[in-house]
């Protein structure tokens, strides 16, 4: 179990099935089946991140997740290939085949995009595409 804290006192806890260090890079902890949890400042709801592998950079307070990434909150479920949590910037950047099921305000939508950013203080999300020619796709679920 590893804990990091941002400037606002928000604690981010990461657990893993296994972890190991590289003697040449002792600040990096390699994670097998990482599972991270934090409470969002806005409403004290939990946000959870899981993946098959990850890396925790103790010095920079960054956790990188790869392979079958899932991010859950009471308002959404996100799947992707990669996510990076920047504790000092209060942001999670999600990339690679991003699919977000948005369940806020009683609505149900699926959003497809190249990149999604979540502010861990406000829980605001911004979906974008890599090319200005492409558009974020949102479909209503029945």
């Amino acid at each position: 179990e590893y804990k990091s804290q941002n400037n606002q006192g928000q604690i981010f806890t990461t657990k893993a099935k296994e972890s190991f260090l590289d003697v040449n890079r002792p600040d990096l902890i390699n994670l097998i089946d990482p599972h991270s949890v934090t409470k969002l400042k806005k409403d004290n709801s939990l946000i959870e991140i899981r993946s098959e592998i990850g890396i925790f950079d103790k010095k920079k307070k960054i956790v990188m997740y790869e392979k079958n990434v899932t991010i859950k909150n009471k308002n959404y479920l996100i799947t992707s290939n990669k996510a990076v949590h920047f504790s000092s910037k209060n942001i999670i950047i999600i990339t690679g085949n991003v699919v977000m099921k948005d369940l806020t305000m009683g609505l149900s939508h699926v959003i497809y995009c190249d990149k999604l950013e979540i502010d861990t203080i406000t829980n605001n999300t911004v979906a974008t595409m890599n090319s200005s020619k492409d558009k974020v796709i949102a479909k209503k679920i029945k």
Side-chain angles (χ1 to χ4, degrees):
E1 181 175 295
Y2 305 96
K3 292 188 179 194
S4 61
Q5 188 171 0
N6 65 16
N7 298 337
Q8 287 79 17
Q10 185 179 22
I11 297 172
F12 203 79
T13 304
T14 300
K15 296 180 181 183
K17 184 177 179 181
E18 290 182 50
S19 64
F20 55 93
L21 299 171
D22 180 343
V23 289
N24 297 321
R25 300 183 76 186
D27 287 338
L28 301 181
I29 300 170
N30 294 286
L31 307 169
I32 305 297
D33 292 332
H35 173 226
S36 300
V37 178
T38 193
K39 282 187 179 180
L40 297 172
K41 285 286 188 181
K42 181 178 179 180
D43 62 1
N44 275 339
S45 66
L46 290 179
I47 185 168
E48 297 181 64
I49 306 173
R50 293 180 186 269
S51 67
E52 291 182 25
I53 59 173
I55 297 174
F56 176 50
D57 187 326
K58 295 187 296 185
K59 192 173 189 177
K60 295 180 182 176
K61 294 184 179 180
I62 296 171
V63 183
M64 294 168 272
Y65 308 86
E66 290 185 334
K67 292 189 179 179
N68 296 318
V69 177
T70 59
I71 301 171
K72 258 196 312 192
N73 178 268
K74 68 178 187 171
N75 297 323
Y76 48 75
L77 172 63
I78 301 166
T79 58
S80 72
N81 296 339
K82 184 177 180 180
V84 181
H85 178 249
F86 297 89
S87 183
S88 62
K89 296 179 182 179
N90 308 311
I91 196 163
I92 301 168
I93 298 176
I94 304 140
T95 56
N97 295 317
V98 180
V99 178
M100 176 181 178
K101 293 180 182 174
D102 181 4
L103 305 170
T104 57
M105 297 182 284
L107 302 175
S108 296
H109 292 87
V110 176
I111 298 165
Y112 302 91
C113 60
D114 290 332
K115 181 178 173 185
L116 191 68
E117 294 183 19
I118 300 173
D119 183 315
T120 61
I121 300 296
T122 64
N123 200 23
N124 290 339
T125 58
V126 176
T128 58
M129 298 301 284
N130 293 333
S131 171
S132 60
K133 295 177 182 178
D134 295 330
K135 294 183 181 183
V136 172
I137 299 170
K139 295 181 178 180
K140 187 173 182 172
I141 303 173
K142 294 182 180 180

PDB file of all heavy atoms in Angstrom, residues 59-85:
ATOM      1  N   LYS A  59       8.705  10.213  -6.164  1.00  0.00           N
ATOM      2  CA  LYS A  59       9.268  11.563  -6.172  1.00  0.00           C
ATOM      3  C   LYS A  59       8.305  12.579  -6.792  1.00  0.00           C
ATOM      4  O   LYS A  59       8.084  13.650  -6.251  1.00  0.00           O
ATOM      5  CB  LYS A  59      10.596  11.560  -6.917  1.00  0.00           C
ATOM      6  CG  LYS A  59      11.407  12.808  -6.761  1.00  0.00           C
ATOM      7  CD  LYS A  59      12.766  12.628  -7.404  1.00  0.00           C
ATOM      8  CE  LYS A  59      13.663  13.800  -7.070  1.00  0.00           C
ATOM      9  NZ  LYS A  59      15.013  13.595  -7.624  1.00  0.00           N
ATOM     10  N   LYS A  60       7.708  12.228  -7.928  1.00  0.00           N
ATOM     11  CA  LYS A  60       6.810  13.140  -8.649  1.00  0.00           C
ATOM     12  C   LYS A  60       5.353  13.018  -8.209  1.00  0.00           C
ATOM     13  O   LYS A  60       4.517  13.784  -8.650  1.00  0.00           O
ATOM     14  CB  LYS A  60       6.904  12.888 -10.154  1.00  0.00           C
ATOM     15  CG  LYS A  60       8.261  13.219 -10.726  1.00  0.00           C
ATOM     16  CD  LYS A  60       8.292  12.942 -12.216  1.00  0.00           C
ATOM     17  CE  LYS A  60       9.652  13.222 -12.795  1.00  0.00           C
ATOM     18  NZ  LYS A  60       9.716  12.857 -14.234  1.00  0.00           N
ATOM     19  N   LYS A  61       5.033  12.000  -7.389  1.00  0.00           N
ATOM     20  CA  LYS A  61       3.672  11.715  -6.943  1.00  0.00           C
ATOM     21  C   LYS A  61       2.732  11.502  -8.138  1.00  0.00           C
ATOM     22  O   LYS A  61       1.688  12.128  -8.275  1.00  0.00           O
ATOM     23  CB  LYS A  61       3.144  12.824  -6.036  1.00  0.00           C
ATOM     24  CG  LYS A  61       3.882  12.920  -4.724  1.00  0.00           C
ATOM     25  CD  LYS A  61       3.261  13.956  -3.829  1.00  0.00           C
ATOM     26  CE  LYS A  61       3.995  14.037  -2.512  1.00  0.00           C
ATOM     27  NZ  LYS A  61       3.408  15.031  -1.637  1.00  0.00           N
ATOM     28  N   ILE A  62       3.173  10.625  -9.026  1.00  0.00           N
ATOM     29  CA  ILE A  62       2.418  10.270 -10.229  1.00  0.00           C
ATOM     30  C   ILE A  62       2.195   8.759 -10.220  1.00  0.00           C
ATOM     31  O   ILE A  62       3.110   7.995  -9.919  1.00  0.00           O
ATOM     32  CB  ILE A  62       3.188  10.662 -11.513  1.00  0.00           C
ATOM     33  CG1 ILE A  62       3.353  12.173 -11.607  1.00  0.00           C
ATOM     34  CG2 ILE A  62       2.493  10.117 -12.748  1.00  0.00           C
ATOM     35  CD1 ILE A  62       4.280  12.606 -12.733  1.00  0.00           C
ATOM     36  N   VAL A  63       0.971   8.331 -10.543  1.00  0.00           N
ATOM     37  CA  VAL A  63       0.700   6.908 -10.727  1.00  0.00           C
ATOM     38  C   VAL A  63       0.242   6.712 -12.170  1.00  0.00           C
ATOM     39  O   VAL A  63      -0.673   7.387 -12.627  1.00  0.00           O
ATOM     40  CB  VAL A  63      -0.374   6.380  -9.752  1.00  0.00           C
ATOM     41  CG1 VAL A  63      -0.553   4.875  -9.931  1.00  0.00           C
ATOM     42  CG2 VAL A  63      -0.024   6.695  -8.308  1.00  0.00           C
ATOM     43  N   MET A  64       0.902   5.788 -12.878  1.00  0.00           N
ATOM     44  CA  MET A  64       0.551   5.465 -14.253  1.00  0.00           C
ATOM     45  C   MET A  64      -0.084   4.080 -14.272  1.00  0.00           C
ATOM     46  O   MET A  64       0.430   3.162 -13.639  1.00  0.00           O
ATOM     47  CB  MET A  64       1.797   5.482 -15.136  1.00  0.00           C
ATOM     48  CG  MET A  64       2.399   6.869 -15.269  1.00  0.00           C
ATOM     49  SD  MET A  64       4.037   6.833 -16.020  1.00  0.00           S
ATOM     50  CE  MET A  64       5.053   6.616 -14.554  1.00  0.00           C
ATOM     51  N   TYR A  65      -1.187   3.954 -14.997  1.00  0.00           N
ATOM     52  CA  TYR A  65      -1.935   2.696 -15.098  1.00  0.00           C
ATOM     53  C   TYR A  65      -1.987   2.291 -16.558  1.00  0.00           C
ATOM     54  O   TYR A  65      -2.234   3.133 -17.423  1.00  0.00           O
ATOM     55  CB  TYR A  65      -3.371   2.877 -14.597  1.00  0.00           C
ATOM     56  CG  TYR A  65      -3.473   3.494 -13.224  1.00  0.00           C
ATOM     57  CD1 TYR A  65      -3.476   4.868 -13.059  1.00  0.00           C
ATOM     58  CD2 TYR A  65      -3.573   2.689 -12.090  1.00  0.00           C
ATOM     59  CE1 TYR A  65      -3.566   5.437 -11.803  1.00  0.00           C
ATOM     60  CE2 TYR A  65      -3.674   3.254 -10.834  1.00  0.00           C
ATOM     61  CZ  TYR A  65      -3.665   4.630 -10.694  1.00  0.00           C
ATOM     62  OH  TYR A  65      -3.754   5.191  -9.452  1.00  0.00           O
ATOM     63  N   GLU A  66      -1.806   0.999 -16.833  1.00  0.00           N
ATOM     64  CA  GLU A  66      -1.895   0.500 -18.200  1.00  0.00           C
ATOM     65  C   GLU A  66      -2.560  -0.873 -18.231  1.00  0.00           C
ATOM     66  O   GLU A  66      -2.536  -1.592 -17.243  1.00  0.00           O
ATOM     67  CB  GLU A  66      -0.503   0.412 -18.838  1.00  0.00           C
ATOM     68  CG  GLU A  66       0.106   1.767 -19.114  1.00  0.00           C
ATOM     69  CD  GLU A  66       1.424   1.673 -19.862  1.00  0.00           C
ATOM     70  OE1 GLU A  66       2.104   0.624 -19.752  1.00  0.00           O
ATOM     71  OE2 GLU A  66       1.764   2.634 -20.547  1.00  0.00           O
ATOM     72  N   LYS A  67      -3.132  -1.190 -19.370  1.00  0.00           N
ATOM     73  CA  LYS A  67      -3.804  -2.466 -19.669  1.00  0.00           C
ATOM     74  C   LYS A  67      -5.106  -2.595 -18.882  1.00  0.00           C
ATOM     75  O   LYS A  67      -5.092  -2.741 -17.676  1.00  0.00           O
ATOM     76  CB  LYS A  67      -2.900  -3.667 -19.395  1.00  0.00           C
ATOM     77  CG  LYS A  67      -1.737  -3.779 -20.340  1.00  0.00           C
ATOM     78  CD  LYS A  67      -1.041  -5.095 -20.140  1.00  0.00           C
ATOM     79  CE  LYS A  67       0.118  -5.220 -21.104  1.00  0.00           C
ATOM     80  NZ  LYS A  67       0.824  -6.480 -20.928  1.00  0.00           N
ATOM     81  N   ASN A  68      -6.191  -2.568 -19.625  1.00  0.00           N
ATOM     82  CA  ASN A  68      -7.535  -2.749 -19.055  1.00  0.00           C
ATOM     83  C   ASN A  68      -7.809  -1.824 -17.872  1.00  0.00           C
ATOM     84  O   ASN A  68      -8.172  -2.260 -16.785  1.00  0.00           O
ATOM     85  CB  ASN A  68      -7.767  -4.207 -18.659  1.00  0.00           C
ATOM     86  CG  ASN A  68      -7.744  -5.122 -19.853  1.00  0.00           C
ATOM     87  OD1 ASN A  68      -8.304  -4.798 -20.903  1.00  0.00           O
ATOM     88  ND2 ASN A  68      -7.080  -6.249 -19.720  1.00  0.00           N
ATOM     89  N   VAL A  69      -7.647  -0.541 -18.114  1.00  0.00           N
ATOM     90  CA  VAL A  69      -7.868   0.464 -17.073  1.00  0.00           C
ATOM     91  C   VAL A  69      -9.371   0.689 -16.900  1.00  0.00           C
ATOM     92  O   VAL A  69     -10.097   0.835 -17.880  1.00  0.00           O
ATOM     93  CB  VAL A  69      -7.191   1.803 -17.445  1.00  0.00           C
ATOM     94  CG1 VAL A  69      -7.468   2.868 -16.398  1.00  0.00           C
ATOM     95  CG2 VAL A  69      -5.690   1.611 -17.639  1.00  0.00           C
ATOM     96  N   THR A  70      -9.825   0.700 -15.646  1.00  0.00           N
ATOM     97  CA  THR A  70     -11.208   1.069 -15.334  1.00  0.00           C
ATOM     98  C   THR A  70     -11.191   2.123 -14.235  1.00  0.00           C
ATOM     99  O   THR A  70     -10.421   2.015 -13.279  1.00  0.00           O
ATOM    100  CB  THR A  70     -12.070  -0.125 -14.865  1.00  0.00           C
ATOM    101  OG1 THR A  70     -11.496  -0.700 -13.700  1.00  0.00           O
ATOM    102  CG2 THR A  70     -12.203  -1.174 -15.945  1.00  0.00           C
ATOM    103  N   ILE A  71     -12.043   3.110 -14.409  1.00  0.00           N
ATOM    104  CA  ILE A  71     -12.171   4.196 -13.436  1.00  0.00           C
ATOM    105  C   ILE A  71     -13.644   4.307 -13.096  1.00  0.00           C
ATOM    106  O   ILE A  71     -14.485   4.440 -13.993  1.00  0.00           O
ATOM    107  CB  ILE A  71     -11.629   5.516 -14.007  1.00  0.00           C
ATOM    108  CG1 ILE A  71     -10.161   5.339 -14.387  1.00  0.00           C
ATOM    109  CG2 ILE A  71     -11.824   6.657 -13.009  1.00  0.00           C
ATOM    110  CD1 ILE A  71      -9.563   6.484 -15.153  1.00  0.00           C
ATOM    111  N   LYS A  72     -13.948   4.225 -11.805  1.00  0.00           N
ATOM    112  CA  LYS A  72     -15.339   4.212 -11.353  1.00  0.00           C
ATOM    113  C   LYS A  72     -15.589   5.325 -10.355  1.00  0.00           C
ATOM    114  O   LYS A  72     -14.762   5.607  -9.499  1.00  0.00           O
ATOM    115  CB  LYS A  72     -15.656   2.897 -10.651  1.00  0.00           C
ATOM    116  CG  LYS A  72     -16.417   1.928 -11.454  1.00  0.00           C
ATOM    117  CD  LYS A  72     -17.047   0.800 -10.682  1.00  0.00           C
ATOM    118  CE  LYS A  72     -16.152   0.099  -9.706  1.00  0.00           C
ATOM    119  NZ  LYS A  72     -16.733  -1.154  -9.203  1.00  0.00           N
ATOM    120  N   ASN A  73     -16.774   5.915 -10.480  1.00  0.00           N
ATOM    121  CA  ASN A  73     -17.293   6.899  -9.549  1.00  0.00           C
ATOM    122  C   ASN A  73     -18.805   6.729  -9.559  1.00  0.00           C
ATOM    123  O   ASN A  73     -19.339   6.068 -10.441  1.00  0.00           O
ATOM    124  CB  ASN A  73     -16.883   8.308 -10.002  1.00  0.00           C
ATOM    125  CG  ASN A  73     -17.418   9.409  -9.129  1.00  0.00           C
ATOM    126  OD1 ASN A  73     -18.491   9.937  -9.408  1.00  0.00           O
ATOM    127  ND2 ASN A  73     -16.694   9.769  -8.083  1.00  0.00           N
ATOM    128  N   LYS A  74     -19.499   7.337  -8.632  1.00  0.00           N
ATOM    129  CA  LYS A  74     -20.961   7.202  -8.615  1.00  0.00           C
ATOM    130  C   LYS A  74     -21.602   7.761  -9.880  1.00  0.00           C
ATOM    131  O   LYS A  74     -22.708   7.387 -10.236  1.00  0.00           O
ATOM    132  CB  LYS A  74     -21.543   7.892  -7.381  1.00  0.00           C
ATOM    133  CG  LYS A  74     -21.404   9.391  -7.390  1.00  0.00           C
ATOM    134  CD  LYS A  74     -22.032  10.008  -6.171  1.00  0.00           C
ATOM    135  CE  LYS A  74     -22.021  11.518  -6.302  1.00  0.00           C
ATOM    136  NZ  LYS A  74     -22.776  12.169  -5.276  1.00  0.00           N
ATOM    137  N   ASN A  75     -20.889   8.638 -10.590  1.00  0.00           N
ATOM    138  CA  ASN A  75     -21.448   9.283 -11.777  1.00  0.00           C
ATOM    139  C   ASN A  75     -21.002   8.681 -13.102  1.00  0.00           C
ATOM    140  O   ASN A  75     -21.574   8.995 -14.134  1.00  0.00           O
ATOM    141  CB  ASN A  75     -21.095  10.769 -11.784  1.00  0.00           C
ATOM    142  CG  ASN A  75     -21.689  11.496 -10.607  1.00  0.00           C
ATOM    143  OD1 ASN A  75     -22.802  11.201 -10.188  1.00  0.00           O
ATOM    144  ND2 ASN A  75     -20.956  12.443 -10.065  1.00  0.00           N
ATOM    145  N   TYR A  76     -19.958   7.853 -13.104  1.00  0.00           N
ATOM    146  CA  TYR A  76     -19.453   7.341 -14.373  1.00  0.00           C
ATOM    147  C   TYR A  76     -18.643   6.067 -14.197  1.00  0.00           C
ATOM    148  O   TYR A  76     -18.172   5.731 -13.112  1.00  0.00           O
ATOM    149  CB  TYR A  76     -18.595   8.386 -15.093  1.00  0.00           C
ATOM    150  CG  TYR A  76     -17.558   9.050 -14.223  1.00  0.00           C
ATOM    151  CD1 TYR A  76     -16.395   8.400 -13.845  1.00  0.00           C
ATOM    152  CD2 TYR A  76     -17.743  10.346 -13.773  1.00  0.00           C
ATOM    153  CE1 TYR A  76     -15.459   9.005 -13.052  1.00  0.00           C
ATOM    154  CE2 TYR A  76     -16.809  10.967 -12.968  1.00  0.00           C
ATOM    155  CZ  TYR A  76     -15.660  10.299 -12.614  1.00  0.00           C
ATOM    156  OH  TYR A  76     -14.720  10.897 -11.812  1.00  0.00           O
ATOM    157  N   LEU A  77     -18.490   5.373 -15.336  1.00  0.00           N
ATOM    158  CA  LEU A  77     -17.594   4.233 -15.459  1.00  0.00           C
ATOM    159  C   LEU A  77     -16.790   4.463 -16.733  1.00  0.00           C
ATOM    160  O   LEU A  77     -17.362   4.664 -17.809  1.00  0.00           O
ATOM    161  CB  LEU A  77     -18.376   2.920 -15.560  1.00  0.00           C
ATOM    162  CG  LEU A  77     -17.549   1.677 -15.875  1.00  0.00           C
ATOM    163  CD1 LEU A  77     -16.545   1.391 -14.771  1.00  0.00           C
ATOM    164  CD2 LEU A  77     -18.447   0.484 -16.107  1.00  0.00           C
ATOM    165  N   ILE A  78     -15.471   4.451 -16.602  1.00  0.00           N
ATOM    166  CA  ILE A  78     -14.592   4.744 -17.730  1.00  0.00           C
ATOM    167  C   ILE A  78     -13.677   3.549 -17.965  1.00  0.00           C
ATOM    168  O   ILE A  78     -13.151   2.975 -17.003  1.00  0.00           O
ATOM    169  CB  ILE A  78     -13.735   5.998 -17.450  1.00  0.00           C
ATOM    170  CG1 ILE A  78     -14.632   7.205 -17.179  1.00  0.00           C
ATOM    171  CG2 ILE A  78     -12.785   6.278 -18.614  1.00  0.00           C
ATOM    172  CD1 ILE A  78     -13.907   8.380 -16.565  1.00  0.00           C
ATOM    173  N   THR A  79     -13.492   3.185 -19.236  1.00  0.00           N
ATOM    174  CA  THR A  79     -12.501   2.176 -19.596  1.00  0.00           C
ATOM    175  C   THR A  79     -11.529   2.792 -20.596  1.00  0.00           C
ATOM    176  O   THR A  79     -11.911   3.671 -21.382  1.00  0.00           O
ATOM    177  CB  THR A  79     -13.148   0.915 -20.202  1.00  0.00           C
ATOM    178  OG1 THR A  79     -13.897   1.295 -21.366  1.00  0.00           O
ATOM    179  CG2 THR A  79     -14.061   0.229 -19.204  1.00  0.00           C
ATOM    180  N   SER A  80     -10.282   2.338 -20.548  1.00  0.00           N
ATOM    181  CA  SER A  80      -9.264   2.860 -21.468  1.00  0.00           C
ATOM    182  C   SER A  80      -8.040   1.961 -21.450  1.00  0.00           C
ATOM    183  O   SER A  80      -7.986   0.972 -20.718  1.00  0.00           O
ATOM    184  CB  SER A  80      -8.860   4.285 -21.074  1.00  0.00           C
ATOM    185  OG  SER A  80      -8.092   4.261 -19.881  1.00  0.00           O
ATOM    186  N   ASN A  81      -7.037   2.354 -22.248  1.00  0.00           N
ATOM    187  CA  ASN A  81      -5.766   1.638 -22.281  1.00  0.00           C
ATOM    188  C   ASN A  81      -4.777   2.186 -21.258  1.00  0.00           C
ATOM    189  O   ASN A  81      -3.902   1.465 -20.787  1.00  0.00           O
ATOM    190  CB  ASN A  81      -5.115   1.736 -23.660  1.00  0.00           C
ATOM    191  CG  ASN A  81      -5.941   1.075 -24.732  1.00  0.00           C
ATOM    192  OD1 ASN A  81      -6.779   0.229 -24.452  1.00  0.00           O
ATOM    193  ND2 ASN A  81      -5.717   1.478 -25.969  1.00  0.00           N
ATOM    194  N   LYS A  82      -4.913   3.492 -20.925  1.00  0.00           N
ATOM    195  CA  LYS A  82      -3.916   4.135 -20.071  1.00  0.00           C
ATOM    196  C   LYS A  82      -4.549   5.276 -19.281  1.00  0.00           C
ATOM    197  O   LYS A  82      -5.448   5.962 -19.763  1.00  0.00           O
ATOM    198  CB  LYS A  82      -2.771   4.683 -20.934  1.00  0.00           C
ATOM    199  CG  LYS A  82      -1.635   5.276 -20.158  1.00  0.00           C
ATOM    200  CD  LYS A  82      -0.524   5.715 -21.089  1.00  0.00           C
ATOM    201  CE  LYS A  82       0.616   6.318 -20.291  1.00  0.00           C
ATOM    202  NZ  LYS A  82       1.716   6.766 -21.143  1.00  0.00           N
ATOM    203  N   ALA A  83      -4.055   5.464 -18.059  1.00  0.00           N
ATOM    204  CA  ALA A  83      -4.448   6.614 -17.246  1.00  0.00           C
ATOM    205  C   ALA A  83      -3.241   7.038 -16.422  1.00  0.00           C
ATOM    206  O   ALA A  83      -2.413   6.210 -16.028  1.00  0.00           O
ATOM    207  CB  ALA A  83      -5.618   6.273 -16.333  1.00  0.00           C
ATOM    208  N   VAL A  84      -3.136   8.344 -16.187  1.00  0.00           N
ATOM    209  CA  VAL A  84      -2.058   8.877 -15.363  1.00  0.00           C
ATOM    210  C   VAL A  84      -2.676   9.842 -14.361  1.00  0.00           C
ATOM    211  O   VAL A  84      -3.395  10.766 -14.746  1.00  0.00           O
ATOM    212  CB  VAL A  84      -0.995   9.617 -16.209  1.00  0.00           C
ATOM    213  CG1 VAL A  84       0.128  10.130 -15.315  1.00  0.00           C
ATOM    214  CG2 VAL A  84      -0.436   8.715 -17.300  1.00  0.00           C
ATOM    215  N   HIS A  85      -2.393   9.605 -13.081  1.00  0.00           N
ATOM    216  CA  HIS A  85      -2.877  10.500 -12.023  1.00  0.00           C
ATOM    217  C   HIS A  85      -1.722  11.383 -11.563  1.00  0.00           C
ATOM    218  O   HIS A  85      -0.701  10.878 -11.084  1.00  0.00           O
ATOM    219  CB  HIS A  85      -3.434   9.714 -10.840  1.00  0.00           C
ATOM    220  CG  HIS A  85      -3.876  10.595  -9.730  1.00  0.00           C
ATOM    221  ND1 HIS A  85      -3.227  10.653  -8.543  1.00  0.00           N
ATOM    222  CD2 HIS A  85      -4.895  11.491  -9.642  1.00  0.00           C
ATOM    223  CE1 HIS A  85      -3.822  11.533  -7.747  1.00  0.00           C
ATOM    224  NE2 HIS A  85      -4.827  12.051  -8.411  1.00  0.00           N
TER     225      HIS A  85
END
